[in-house]
Amino acid sequence: MGKTVRKLTAILGALALSLPLATFTPFLSDGGGVPVAHAQATGGTIERIVVEGTQRIEPSTVRTYMVVREGEAYDPSRVDKSLKNLFETGLFADVSIRREGTVLFVSVVENPIINRIAFEGNKRIKDEQLQSEVQLRPRVVFTRAKVQEDVQRILEAYRRSGRYAVSVDPKVIQLEQNRVDLAFEINEGPSTSVRRVSFVGNKIYSDSDLREVIETSEEAWYLFLSATDTYDPDRLTYDRELLRRYYLKKGYADFQVKSAVAELSPDRENFFITFTVDEGERYKFGEIGLETTLEDLDPEALRQFIDFQPGEWYNANKVEDAVQALTEEVGNLGYAFVDVKPRVDRDAENRTIGLTFQIEEGPRVFVERIDIKGNIRTLDQVIRREFLLAEGDAFNAARLRRSRQRIQDLGFFEKVNVTNEPSPTAPDRTIVNVEVEEQSTGEVNFGVGWSSSVGAIVEVGMRERNLLGRGQDLNVKVSWAQRRSQIDISFTEPYFLDRRLRAGFDIYAIERDLQDESSYDYRTYGGALRLGYNYNEDLSHSFKYTLEHNDITNVDSGASQFIRNQERKTWLSQIGHTLTYDKRDSRLAPTEGYVISLGNDFAGLGGTEYFLRSDLKGAYYLPVGDMLDWDPAWSLSVKGAAGYVVGLGKDVNINQRYNLGGGNLRGFASAGASPRDNSTDDALGGNWIATGTFELGVPLGLPDEYGLSGRLFSDVGAIGQPDSFDESLMDASSAPRLSVGAGVTWVSPVGPISVDLGYPIVKQEFDESELFRLSFGSRF
């Protein structure tokens, strides 16, 4: 056997010596499927490099990627490096290198060019959005690696929208001239909903309480217009932060979210989310001190800007508010560089957190420039004018935070991220970076509904809140109702003449059917010019000039003589102003703070109507639930209004008088508590009015997702007599009226529906009551 093996070895050796050297230049793999040239023999000079197989790419371009050059000695390692370089360009589907004597042959197969990219089967995500997700584009070199990367990007886009059962199959269609069409065939599968949200470790607050805190919600049929019941990992991260803020607001300074786990069901259609929390102990505020190293600054004079006292439950939000208020006030006193830091003294035994606010001189840093990114449609100046900092100003972190909030409040952007970074050119300079993601600002609304005051309603409207990217607001609305029809066109320029002046105009036409209340119809058309400005963040002032034509018509033959005497056409030329002081936490849905406004109107600058009117309004909001550590749905609001109009040389027309009942006094019909003709029962209105509302928001014990809120209310009101009052012909009383009741509002998927049940407690015998009041509206 040994002799046989030795003979076979000798034969193979002789055969190897008789074959050319190139036969033993095998192609190996580098482990990733890439062939690597390897030569067993070295030495010799490469006199020529020949490139084969190129179509679009010049041979000279191929040579530039190689580290082997003509005239150099043959080196297998440099050949391997050249091969890898060519593959790494992504230009070639296949590359091989072989040596024949002194000639090195490089054979390439070029990757095709993408002619067109298509998406098939996608319904939930539009082509435009998917196109922005993928990296490949037409007229770009096709590679399978890039295709797989884009497949993952498409899958991630669907996962962000709550679809984890999606599959993507890329199809390549070969074309002539080494081109391909690329089609992504998408099977979206069912939506991956959140079946259950559970909490582990919570003892103070129940699972239902905490579900109302987070943004993610469990799947429900009434959430078909919402995406909060689909799984989103970014939303889950945000939920962790919401839980942390909630507990810190309630005084649980040691609170931690240990974990947040999302488990996908085997059918890939549902997620089960579990938050594991450690609530810790609840703390109260301890001693509160103020220290400063700034000259001529009395720290005790700043104590009024700290909105909490020792013994109150600890609230991290109030601490942050105090830091911002102190920073702003010290800055207003002329200290440009301020750094306010709360020093914490935690007493675990007594469960108190003492705070000492240290007010020191901050680093002298100036704003070098403000860079804005992401605003494709919105002009830079619209964003820059909301900044409370300008290039060259002393940097102030509090003003930077407020600037971000002002940009967010524009409503033009889905996301606003404002950061600052040190300047690379100077250590005392900083660069402010603003990155925004725009959202739709145009609206087309169609609504149907019913109201107790005007009957069935149909409404069509169009609005653009960021006209031409300039921040201008254009609104057009047309509504038809059984007892009212109206057309409104309004335009507002928020920065008139590049100053903080709000200027705009209104054009309108209104027709009202007041036959039930006062036996006449009322028509008006006209326009108004508006101008307003802010003294500061809270105090604003606006002016308005109105010119309109009024027509009291279709007066019933049996109407009151006082109304028949006013059947005529008049012109109103009026100028007015309104001063508003607003300290509410939100303009749209306030829960805390107050607002008060005073307005005066003078009619008589031409026209045929002459009067002077004054109106005073106010509201106060108190978050009872947060104060008493109850359900946040507990809230208290107190509202009041008073108005007085007096004729100048003539009686005030009926359409300019006040009416009591309906919207401003529930439990009474529209104008049901107004002075009226005692023979025809027509409402005549009064020259002064005063109303008040006490409303207590109450929880209904239902999840926030239901959109239901309850209230208990008590309305009070009084109204004065009209001009030319005749006691023998009119029923009128300035005595107060009082009503109580309850109501429910449902923010339904098709619009808000409000139901109020009011019962008059104090009334006059001639008043008209109304037990049930319904308001229904929808926009879709």
Side-chain angles (χ1 to χ4, degrees):
M1 181 68 180
K3 293 181 179 180
T4 304
V5 171
R6 285 193 294 270
K7 289 182 180 179
L8 180 59
T9 302
I11 294 172
L12 291 175
L15 179 61
L17 292 174
S18 66
L19 293 176
L21 179 62
T23 305
F24 290 91
T25 308
F27 295 95
L28 306 177
S29 172
D30 65 352
V34 179
V36 178
H38 176 76
Q40 290 181 333
T42 60
T45 301
I46 300 175
E47 297 181 357
R48 191 157 58 98
I49 299 176
V50 178
V51 179
E52 301 174 331
T54 56
Q55 297 179 3
R56 301 181 312 274
I57 303 172
E58 294 293 330
S60 59
T61 302
V62 176
R63 294 189 185 97
T64 60
Y65 292 115
M66 301 175 62
V67 296
V68 177
R69 298 290 183 265
E70 293 178 352
E72 294 181 351
Y74 179 81
D75 185 347
S77 63
R78 293 177 65 83
V79 172
D80 290 347
K81 178 62 176 174
S82 298
L83 187 65
K84 292 179 179 179
N85 287 353
L86 290 173
F87 269 107
E88 289 173 358
T89 65
L91 299 174
F92 308 105
D94 189 24
V95 181
S96 62
I97 300 178
R98 70 182 189 277
R99 177 185 176 188
E100 295 184 5
T102 60
V103 180
L104 196 66
F105 290 90
V106 182
S107 300
V108 298
V109 178
E110 293 183 3
N111 274 321
I113 294 293
I114 297 176
N115 178 62
R116 186 174 65 92
I117 297 177
F119 302 95
E120 300 176 0
N122 54 309
K123 298 178 181 179
R124 297 290 179 177
I125 301 181
K126 296 181 179 179
D127 285 6
E128 294 78 9
Q129 185 176 348
L130 291 176
Q131 190 65 58
S132 65
E133 293 286 343
V134 300
Q135 297 295 315
L136 289 172
R137 296 287 184 270
R139 297 182 298 278
V140 171
V141 175
F142 169 90
T143 66
R144 296 190 180 277
K146 290 182 179 179
V147 171
Q148 291 304 315
E149 291 174 1
D150 282 347
V151 167
Q152 293 302 317
R153 292 187 177 96
I154 295 173
L155 291 173
E156 182 61 30
Y158 272 96
R159 287 167 183 164
R160 290 197 301 268
S161 66
R163 291 185 175 268
Y164 279 74
V166 65
S167 62
V168 181
D169 185 16
K171 299 292 185 181
V172 180
I173 303 172
Q174 299 289 340
L175 303 175
E176 58 184 6
Q177 298 178 350
N178 200 25
R179 296 176 302 132
V180 296
D181 283 345
L182 177 61
F184 292 97
E185 293 185 357
I186 302 171
N187 181 6
E188 295 181 328
S191 175
T192 311
S193 302
V194 176
R195 174 63 63 86
R196 188 176 66 246
V197 179
S198 303
F199 297 87
V200 176
N202 53 311
K203 301 176 182 177
I204 305 300
Y205 298 103
S206 65
D207 283 17
S208 60
D209 291 334
L210 297 181
R211 288 191 194 102
E212 294 180 3
V213 174
I214 63 177
E215 188 171 302
T216 300
S217 57
E218 296 178 345
E219 64 174 342
W221 66 268
Y222 50 82
L223 294 177
F224 63 91
L225 293 179
S226 173
T228 58
D229 62 343
T230 57
Y231 173 69
D232 185 344
D234 293 335
R235 189 185 299 125
L236 193 64
T237 301
Y238 181 55
D239 287 338
R240 296 174 63 121
E241 178 64 17
L242 290 177
L243 288 170
R244 190 186 71 85
R245 292 179 187 176
Y246 179 75
Y247 272 92
L248 288 178
K249 181 181 178 181
K250 297 297 185 181
Y252 295 89
D254 296 329
F255 172 80
Q256 290 181 326
V257 179
K258 294 292 188 180
S259 65
V261 179
E263 297 179 274
L264 185 62
S265 62
D267 59 7
R268 303 182 67 83
E269 293 186 5
N270 294 285
F271 270 98
F272 297 84
I273 297 176
T274 303
F275 292 93
T276 302
V277 301
D278 182 3
E279 292 177 323
E281 300 293 340
R282 194 179 189 189
Y283 288 78
K284 291 184 176 181
F285 282 112
E287 293 298 321
I288 301 171
L290 285 159
E291 296 179 356
T292 182
T293 58
L294 300 178
E295 296 182 3
D296 302 324
L297 178 64
D298 180 12
E300 290 303 316
L302 302 172
R303 190 171 290 274
Q304 59 179 315
F305 297 98
I306 300 176
D307 189 26
F308 51 86
Q309 300 293 331
E312 294 182 9
W313 290 114
Y314 176 79
N315 187 327
N317 290 354
K318 289 187 175 182
V319 176
E320 178 62 25
D321 292 342
V323 170
Q324 183 168 339
L326 291 170
T327 303
E328 292 177 2
E329 181 59 23
V330 175
N332 293 336
L333 294 175
Y335 298 88
F337 304 95
V338 180
D339 188 15
V340 179
K341 295 180 180 179
R343 188 177 68 232
V344 177
D345 181 15
R346 187 187 303 247
D347 186 344
E349 182 178 351
N350 297 316
R351 297 178 187 172
T352 61
I353 295 179
L355 293 171
T356 300
F357 292 93
Q358 298 175 303
I359 306 172
E360 302 174 349
E361 183 176 14
R364 293 180 174 271
V365 178
F366 298 86
V367 178
E368 179 176 294
R369 68 176 188 270
I370 300 175
D371 294 337
I372 302 173
K373 300 178 181 178
N375 54 319
I376 300 173
R377 183 165 171 266
T378 305
L379 301 180
D380 274 12
Q381 66 178 14
V382 174
I383 301 175
R384 290 183 182 277
R385 66 194 184 193
E386 298 300 326
F387 261 90
L388 300 178
L389 292 170
E391 293 169 345
D393 286 356
F395 177 76
N396 186 299
R399 287 179 175 265
L400 189 68
R401 287 193 297 268
R402 288 174 57 201
S403 298
R404 180 201 172 280
Q405 187 61 49
R406 287 166 63 95
I407 297 171
Q408 188 75 59
D409 289 344
L410 289 173
F412 304 161
F413 309 107
E414 184 175 352
K415 296 180 181 178
V416 178
N417 187 28
V418 180
T419 58
N420 66 289
E421 60 182 13
S423 170
T425 59
D428 62 343
R429 302 281 175 175
T430 187
I431 299 173
V432 176
N433 295 309
V434 183
E435 188 170 353
V436 298
E437 183 178 328
E438 292 185 320
Q439 64 182 5
S440 175
T441 55
E443 302 172 8
V444 178
N445 301 318
F446 172 74
V448 296
W450 187 86
S451 169
S452 298
S453 58
V454 297
I457 307 170
V458 177
E459 180 181 298
V460 177
M462 293 182 293
R463 184 182 183 187
E464 174 53 63
R465 295 180 289 109
N466 188 15
L467 186 65
L468 301 176
R470 300 177 180 274
Q472 299 164 338
D473 191 335
L474 178 63
N475 192 11
V476 180
K477 183 172 67 175
V478 180
S479 64
W480 297 270
Q482 288 177 296
R483 287 179 287 171
R484 186 193 69 194
S485 296
Q486 185 170 341
I487 300 175
D488 289 292
I489 301 174
S490 65
F491 173 81
T492 301
E493 167 56 67
Y495 278 78
F496 184 58
L497 300 177
D498 290 329
R499 298 178 181 272
R500 294 186 181 273
L501 297 173
R502 299 181 304 276
F505 65 83
D506 304 294
I507 301 173
Y508 53 87
I510 305 171
E511 184 172 336
R512 291 286 307 274
D513 178 356
L514 300 174
Q515 295 291 336
D516 290 345
E517 297 92 343
S518 303
S519 301
Y520 71 90
D521 292 340
Y522 172 64
R523 297 172 182 169
T524 182
Y525 60 85
L529 298 175
R530 295 175 277 107
L531 182 67
Y533 61 94
N534 283 56
Y535 291 104
N536 52 43
E537 290 290 318
D538 306 316
L539 185 62
S540 62
H541 204 172
S542 62
F543 297 88
K544 185 176 183 179
Y545 172 74
T546 303
L547 178 65
E548 66 182 28
H549 178 266
N550 300 312
D551 184 10
I552 296 176
T553 184
N554 295 335
V555 177
D556 190 271
S557 59
S560 168
Q561 183 63 40
F562 299 101
I563 296 177
R564 292 203 302 270
N565 291 340
Q566 296 202 24
E567 187 175 10
R568 58 179 177 268
K569 299 178 180 179
T570 60
W571 280 94
L572 173 68
S573 178
Q574 171 184 291
I575 188 170
H577 80 104
T578 302
L579 189 65
T580 304
Y581 188 66
D582 195 342
K583 293 289 290 184
R584 293 174 296 177
D585 59 345
S586 171
R587 267 50 168 183
L588 299 178
T591 59
E592 186 174 6
Y594 60 90
V595 58
I596 186 169
S597 66
L598 172 65
N600 302 104
D601 296 318
F602 169 71
L605 299 175
T608 58
E609 297 191 42
Y610 301 90
F611 61 83
L612 181 65
R613 182 198 309 274
S614 295
D615 290 289
L616 179 65
K617 300 178 182 179
Y620 182 77
Y621 302 88
L622 197 63
V624 177
D626 288 341
M627 294 176 60
L628 301 178
D629 199 26
W630 294 351
D631 190 310
W634 287 100
S635 61
L636 177 67
S637 64
V638 181
K639 303 176 185 177
Y644 182 78
V645 58
V646 58
L648 301 177
K650 57 191 307 186
D651 290 348
V652 178
N653 286 352
I654 188 173
N655 58 295
Q656 301 296 346
R657 297 174 189 162
Y658 298 101
N659 280 290
L660 182 64
N664 58 4
L665 187 64
R666 288 164 288 190
F668 292 79
S670 296
S674 294
R676 62 185 64 252
D677 188 305
N678 57 22
S679 61
T680 65
D681 215 27
D682 291 327
L684 303 176
N687 282 22
W688 64 265
I689 192 173
T691 61
T693 295
F694 299 85
E695 191 166 287
L696 180 66
V698 297
L700 299 178
L702 300 172
D704 286 348
E705 292 82 1
Y706 282 67
L708 284 167
S709 60
R711 58 185 171 274
L712 302 174
F713 65 82
S714 177
D715 293 345
V716 61
I719 189 168
Q721 301 169 353
D723 293 321
S724 303
F725 175 73
D726 189 334
E727 187 175 355
S728 64
L729 300 175
M730 298 182 189
D731 288 329
S733 174
S734 58
R737 275 76 158 181
L738 178 66
S739 68
V740 296
V744 176
T745 295
W746 178 34
V747 183
S748 72
V750 293
I753 300 174
S754 297
V755 178
D756 286 308
L757 298 177
Y759 183 77
I761 300 297
V762 178
K763 58 177 290 190
Q764 300 298 313
E765 61 180 47
F766 57 83
D767 290 342
E768 296 181 1
S769 59
E770 178 185 72
L771 175 64
F772 176 79
R773 190 169 188 84
L774 171 68
S775 296
F776 172 83
S778 68
R779 293 183 176 217
F780 44 92

